[in-house]
Amino acid sequence: MRVRDFSRPTTLNPDRLFGQVAQKLAVAIITGRVKAGELLPNEDDLRSEISVSRTAYREAVKILTAKGLVEARPKSGTRAASRERWNLLDPDVLSWHFEADPNERFIRDLFELRRFVEPSAARLAAQRRTSADIARIEAAYRGMADGAPYAEATIRADMAFHEAIFSAAQNAALQCLASAVIATLQWSLLLKTGDEVAYIESLPDHEHVLLAIIDRDGDLASARMAGLVIDSLNTTLASLGTHYATETGKIMRIKHTK
Amino acid sequence: MRVRDFSRPTTLNPDRLFGQVAQKLAVAIITGRVKAGELLPNEDDLRSEISVSRTAYREAVKILTAKGLVEARPKSGTRAASRERWNLLDPDVLSWHFEADPNERFIRDLFELRRFVEPSAARLAAQRRTSADIARIEAAYRGMADGAPYAEATIRADMAFHEAIFSAAQNAALQCLASAVIATLQWSLLLKTGDEVAYIESLPDHEHVLLAIIDRDGDLASARMAGLVIDSLNTTLASLGTHYATETGKIMRIKHTK
DNA sequence: CCGCTTCTATCGTATGACTTTATCGCAGAC
DNA sequence: GTCTGCGATAAAGTCATACGATAGAAGCGG
């Protein structure tokens, strides 16, 4: 349970105390250890676990409030919010999900969203890309092609590839979904680690997307990206099924660096 | 400058002090009064404007940190973050944008996102809707059809219509984008208030979407929703141009209730 | 059995002191 | 003259404490 999102430096500092408390509470909520009831039972527990002042605790709660995980109402208590309230697309919330066991339903939802969004992003990227964008995407692709299948550098390159496409789409709102897309990527990579075949086979697909973007062919870029996402979803769901069938805890996890 | 998002109760309590401070700071950042430089000049100013303790101030900063608007680092200070870091799709961040002058670029981006996402949501809704979903969507449609064009109840019904469709899509990740879609709706309604013709004409489009969803015709629902979004964007951009040409400040704003 | 009062738990706010961390500038060495 | 390193310093972070307000529960009285 020690995976951290290393896509981009998460907004809240995990080195600081309040950040650690926030994460602890968030994971407890996301895993379901705390349902929609009181959250305060942990107040004393946390005090004993890590001696933490009320300040740090409150600031952690404020962070969770801002992300919709809890609802603090004066005098009545601070309750874990129901799932519909969560800002599931918040980068931190997404990354906290990696601390919990894979939730097949949620991963499927994320992939579905990605399936809708990323082809559109690719289309826009094809229409609006600058030469600098091309350079970024191409560099990322080279990183993927050159690196060893599941090396960290390769994974970073993969994420950079997709991020660069979102960036090239020149849409600030769309850009915010890049973290969600990258989260699905990380789930894929986490779950199907070791399946080198799937990885190698996905390389030409990436190249095709790149070429379509270079050609400014929006329709083609969109279609190819859609294919890429669907393939990724299929292999991921297959892996997820396998892992579920064997043992959940054995899923290899990526080490967090930096 | 007194518009509040009334789509759903925003996660952070605006009655509380820290919420007000957070909003004040957020608006200052979003409007650009504070760029990417120090934010602390306000610390003293705020102390004088509303006497606010360090506690409230810090908790407000934590909220903004959680939403990516600021970055606090020891010794260097608390800086407003660059726009790429903002969680633009966060409901609160979206609502704070209503406090600022309309940013045409951002509205266009939001509509673009909506253009990609909402047709897909309609498709899923058509495929997965239950009879309860139909009841909700239909009730919202009736509210739109029966109410006066720009009455508040009508606007609420309009928002409920779109929200209900997202809800029927049965996808938690997608659901999080409902707030963004509703924000575009609000921008539309804010900007083209008074244009009764456009509103009346949009009614049949809504009904067509509803019927397609009832028929479980995903393709049709998607196509009709796409048309609806495009129409909305066109009239909105036209209004925006007009308003820009005449006077920005004269844009009528919706009163916030509850 | 119901309604009112009281009581308590819990959040919100305020304040002051101390700690940690990172930046900047000065002094010394090469 | 440039580089290195150490310490001064400023700002955020943390802790402890206190008080106020009130929602909700418990107890009391009718």
Side-chain angles (χ1 to χ4, degrees):
Chain A
M1 301 282 179
R2 173 49 56 83
V3 179
R4 197 79 53 70
D5 176 20
F6 52 85
S7 57
R8 63 171 174 179
T10 146
T11 53
L12 74 92
N13 195 333
D15 297 333
R16 300 265 68 82
L17 194 46
F18 64 83
Q20 295 169 27
V21 176
Q23 159 141 350
K24 214 177 251 296
L25 293 175
V27 171
I29 292 171
I30 288 172
T31 58
R33 286 207 304 277
V34 178
K35 307 268 181 188
E38 285 286 340
L39 195 123
L40 264 287
N42 297 6
E43 182 188 11
D44 288 338
D45 290 353
L46 272 168
R47 284 285 195 97
S48 58
E49 202 169 331
I50 5 166
S51 93
V52 52
S53 77
R54 191 151 166 255
T55 307
Y57 172 78
R58 294 200 91 246
E59 295 186 353
V61 167
K62 282 289 165 298
I63 290 172
L64 299 190
T65 304
K67 295 180 185 301
L69 292 183
V70 304
E71 282 173 350
R73 286 219 303 268
K75 306 1 154 187
S76 117
T78 304
R79 322 178 103 82
S82 64
R83 202 153 188 281
E84 307 97 61
R85 305 259 181 176
W86 301 356
N87 293 170
L88 290 175
L89 301 179
D90 180 284
D92 292 314
V93 175
L94 283 169
S95 91
W96 288 329
H97 270 85
F98 288 99
E99 306 284 325
D101 285 334
N103 174 341
E104 184 173 0
R105 173 70 186 277
F106 181 52
I107 294 176
R108 190 189 298 266
D109 283 355
L110 275 180
F111 261 104
E112 209 164 67
L113 175 63
R114 182 182 168 196
R115 165 73 186 80
F116 297 145
V117 165
E118 205 170 11
S120 303
R123 165 176 276 119
L124 288 186
Q127 292 165 352
R128 300 177 181 169
R129 98 287 190 294
T130 64
S131 51
D133 291 323
I134 292 297
R136 253 185 85 189
I137 303 174
E138 196 160 6
Y141 171 71
R142 295 240 163 278
M144 290 179 65
D146 296 345
Y150 285 88
E152 190 178 311
T154 316
I155 292 177
R156 284 185 188 280
D158 197 345
M159 300 193 298
F161 180 87
H162 293 269
E163 180 121 41
I165 289 176
F166 272 90
S167 171
Q170 297 287 343
N171 182 316
L174 198 58
Q175 177 89 55
C176 290
L177 292 176
S179 55
V181 167
I182 287 182
T184 72
L185 247 178
Q186 289 189 266
W187 278 117
S188 301
L189 295 168
L190 275 173
L191 294 169
K192 69 186 184 206
T193 293
D195 184 351
E196 296 202 5
V197 180
Y199 191 87
I200 302 277
E201 282 179 350
S202 78
L203 265 182
D205 293 341
H206 282 77
E207 190 182 11
H208 290 334
V209 170
L210 168 61
L211 292 177
I213 291 176
I214 291 177
D215 285 347
R216 297 194 187 278
D217 189 335
D219 289 337
L220 194 58
S222 173
R224 284 174 171 172
M225 181 61 89
L228 205 163
V229 175
I230 290 173
D231 285 349
S232 177
L233 172 61
N234 285 337
T235 54
T236 302
L237 282 186
S239 303
L240 192 64
T242 309
H243 281 294
Y244 260 125
T246 57
E247 187 192 351
T248 330
K250 256 195 129 178
I251 294 167
M252 189 184 145
R253 307 205 119 104
I254 300 171
K255 191 164 62 87
H256 170 66
T257 63
K258 155 62 197 136
Chain B
M1 301 285 176
R2 174 49 56 83
V3 179
R4 199 78 55 69
D5 177 20
F6 52 85
S7 57
R8 64 171 173 178
T10 145
T11 53
L12 73 91
N13 195 333
D15 297 333
R16 300 266 71 81
L17 192 47
F18 64 83
Q20 295 168 26
V21 177
Q23 159 140 350
K24 213 177 251 299
L25 294 175
V27 171
I29 293 171
I30 288 172
T31 58
R33 288 208 304 278
V34 178
K35 308 268 183 189
E38 286 285 341
L39 193 124
L40 263 287
N42 295 7
E43 182 189 14
D44 289 338
D45 292 351
L46 273 168
R47 285 286 194 97
S48 58
E49 201 170 332
I50 4 167
S51 91
V52 51
S53 75
R54 225 164 66 88
T55 308
Y57 172 78
R58 295 200 90 246
E59 294 187 353
V61 168
K62 280 295 164 297
I63 290 171
L64 299 189
T65 304
K67 294 178 186 302
L69 292 184
V70 303
E71 282 172 351
R73 287 219 307 264
K75 169 62 186 171
S76 97
T78 305
R79 320 179 105 85
S82 64
R83 202 154 187 281
E84 307 97 62
R85 305 260 181 174
W86 302 355
N87 294 171
L88 290 175
L89 301 179
D90 179 284
D92 292 314
V93 175
L94 283 169
S95 91
W96 288 328
H97 271 84
F98 288 101
E99 307 282 326
D101 285 334
N103 175 339
E104 185 173 359
R105 174 69 187 277
F106 181 51
I107 294 176
R108 192 188 298 266
D109 283 355
L110 275 180
F111 261 104
E112 208 164 69
L113 176 62
R114 182 182 168 195
R115 165 74 187 79
F116 297 144
V117 166
E118 206 171 10
S120 303
R123 165 176 276 118
L124 288 187
Q127 293 165 351
R128 300 175 183 172
R129 99 284 190 296
T130 64
S131 50
D133 291 323
I134 292 295
R136 253 185 87 189
I137 302 174
E138 196 161 6
Y141 172 70
R142 296 239 163 279
M144 290 180 65
D146 296 344
Y150 285 89
E152 192 178 309
T154 317
I155 293 176
R156 284 184 188 283
D158 197 346
M159 298 192 299
F161 181 86
H162 293 269
E163 180 120 42
I165 289 176
F166 271 91
S167 171
Q170 298 286 347
N171 181 317
L174 197 59
Q175 178 89 53
C176 290
L177 292 176
S179 55
V181 166
I182 287 182
T184 72
L185 247 177
Q186 288 190 267
W187 278 117
S188 302
L189 296 168
L190 275 171
L191 294 170
K192 67 185 185 209
T193 292
D195 185 352
E196 297 202 7
V197 180
Y199 191 85
I200 303 279
E201 282 178 351
S202 77
L203 264 182
D205 292 341
H206 282 76
E207 190 183 10
H208 290 333
V209 171
L210 168 60
L211 292 176
I213 291 177
I214 291 178
D215 285 347
R216 297 195 186 278
D217 189 335
D219 289 338
L220 194 59
S222 172
R224 285 174 171 171
M225 180 61 89
L228 204 163
V229 175
I230 290 174
D231 285 349
S232 177
L233 172 60
N234 286 336
T235 55
T236 302
L237 282 185
S239 303
L240 193 64
T242 308
H243 282 293
Y244 259 125
T246 58
E247 187 194 348
T248 331
K250 256 195 131 178
I251 294 167
M252 191 184 143
R253 308 205 120 104
I254 300 171
K255 190 165 59 86
H256 169 66
T257 62
K258 160 65 192 105

